[in-house]
Amino acid sequence: MITKLDGIIISKYPYRERDLIVRLLLRNGKKASVIFYGGKGGGSKKKSSILELGFLVEVELQKSREDSEIFTAKEWVLKWHHDNIRNNYQAYCLLCFFSEISERLALEAQFKNYESEISSSDKEAGPFRVLSNALVYLEKSLSAREQNALFLPYGQILIFITKFAVEMGVFPASDTCTLCGGDLEAIGPKILSAEHGGYQCGRCTDIGQDSGDEAIYQAMMRIARTPYQAILPLPLGAVDLSMAKKVLHYVCYQFNIIPETLKTMRAVLAN
Ligand SMILES: [Zn+2]
């Protein structure tokens, strides 16, 4: 059986001399491992590889064997690629970070249910939508016209993680305090608590003199309400390292992931 589907390359590993094992994030939001024979390029025809991290490919898949855990790519074509991201080290680190989070959080495509995975693969779902939007956004933020003015790494991390939280159903409850149920808008300073899955008001937690996580609250609310394509004008220059880290910690906690185990985290969220 052969079927075509789209996937974003979220990781790849050399396999034998000329082949690659690629992890694809499929349009249905699930991840799948695929062997690309000759995927490294080269060979007698000196074919160049189009299988780079963050590229979107359409793949004609073949299930190797009934009991196989892995698909084989029969044919593949490039559908979207980035240029600016590849040429900017910091942006490339962001790409790696977004890819790693997607790989950690996406569910595995179930090979037992091969037919249903394929038939659902044209409907765009959660993680795929977030990652594809994030990469288009990142590429655009580095375009000559924008002159890197919109390349704000901490802002992009905050957008990506917030959108992921929305899609995966772990966006923090934003109307009431998770402890007392009080109205958050009315109460004033609040802090984001990963352990309690939402915000806590100043009556329940000692916030002290500072404004708590007001900036995070406002930014997450605006990002959640705004489609990715319209986020560019948002004032994200104020997003700093500690805000990005706190929101990452929040989302990781909901999925039992220790942020420090993300291999790419240090490259984008170093002190
Ligand atoms: Zn409270």
Side-chain angles (χ1 to χ4, degrees):
M1 188 211 298
I2 297 165
T3 317
K4 281 182 187 174
L5 36 78
D6 290 347
I8 301 171
I9 297 169
I10 49 175
S11 62
K12 58 172 191 167
Y13 309 93
Y15 178 60
R16 296 190 300 218
E17 205 180 324
R18 294 189 49 224
D19 310 329
L20 281 178
I21 294 180
V22 170
R23 299 283 270 167
L24 288 178
L25 185 64
L26 306 176
R27 211 171 268 280
N28 69 2
K30 296 186 183 170
K31 60 189 176 189
S33 296
V34 181
I35 299 181
F36 288 76
Y37 290 112
K40 274 177 159 175
S44 57
K45 291 177 188 158
K46 297 270 180 272
K47 243 172 78 179
S48 69
S49 177
I50 55 162
L51 301 171
E52 298 295 341
L53 201 65
F55 284 14
L56 174 68
V57 285
E58 182 191 73
V59 189
E60 198 172 318
L61 285 184
Q62 203 166 32
K63 199 178 174 187
S64 331
R65 288 192 318 274
E66 205 51 47
D67 59 341
S68 177
E69 287 285 304
I70 196 161
F71 284 116
T72 303
K74 204 164 167 270
E75 298 286 339
W76 57 93
V77 289
L78 188 59
K79 287 187 88 174
W80 184 84
H81 73 282
H82 51 81
D83 291 314
N84 302 331
I85 296 173
R86 259 180 306 173
N87 294 317
N88 180 310
Y89 177 73
Q90 233 188 331
Y92 194 78
C93 290
L94 272 186
L95 161 66
C96 296
F97 180 65
F98 293 164
S99 300
E100 186 180 5
I101 290 185
S102 305
E103 188 168 355
R104 288 286 287 271
L105 296 187
L107 297 172
E108 194 82 42
Q110 290 302 307
F111 293 90
K112 296 194 293 287
N113 307 321
Y114 182 73
E115 279 77 17
S116 79
E117 291 292 355
I118 298 294
S119 63
S120 71
S121 67
D122 53 340
K123 278 197 259 43
E124 209 165 279
F128 181 91
R129 184 162 42 222
V130 178
L131 182 63
S132 59
N133 279 329
L135 298 184
V136 169
Y137 183 101
L138 181 58
E139 175 75 1
K140 195 175 161 192
S141 74
L142 292 162
S143 70
R145 199 167 66 88
E146 309 290 356
Q147 296 186 319
N148 292 9
L150 296 163
F151 179 61
L152 305 160
Y154 298 143
Q156 299 215 22
I157 289 170
L158 192 72
I159 298 171
F160 177 78
I161 295 168
T162 301
K163 288 293 189 191
F164 233 108
V166 173
E167 292 285 356
M168 304 296 277
V170 297
F171 187 76
S174 51
D175 46 354
T176 54
C177 168
T178 54
L179 292 181
C180 69
D183 185 342
L184 278 181
E185 286 286 1
I187 286 167
K190 46 189 133 341
I191 60 160
L192 182 60
S193 163
E195 294 76 6
H196 292 95
Y199 295 93
Q200 292 172 12
C201 75
R203 291 191 309 218
C204 299
T205 309
D206 183 20
I207 296 175
Q209 293 303 310
D210 71 36
S211 58
D213 292 327
E214 191 61 30
I216 290 177
Y217 176 80
Q218 295 297 339
M220 287 185 88
M221 292 297 282
R222 288 184 70 169
I223 292 165
R225 283 195 214 108
T226 315
Y228 235 110
Q229 298 76 4
I231 289 176
L232 276 176
L234 283 188
L236 292 166
V239 178
D240 61 16
L241 174 67
S242 71
M243 285 171 73
K245 269 189 165 172
K246 187 147 194 186
V247 176
L248 174 69
H249 172 75
Y250 179 87
V251 171
C252 284
Y253 190 90
Q254 314 310 317
F255 290 99
N256 304 317
I257 292 172
I258 297 163
E260 287 70 28
T261 63
L262 296 166
K263 295 192 296 272
T264 55
M265 193 191 78
R266 207 169 301 164
V268 294
L269 289 173
N271 282 309

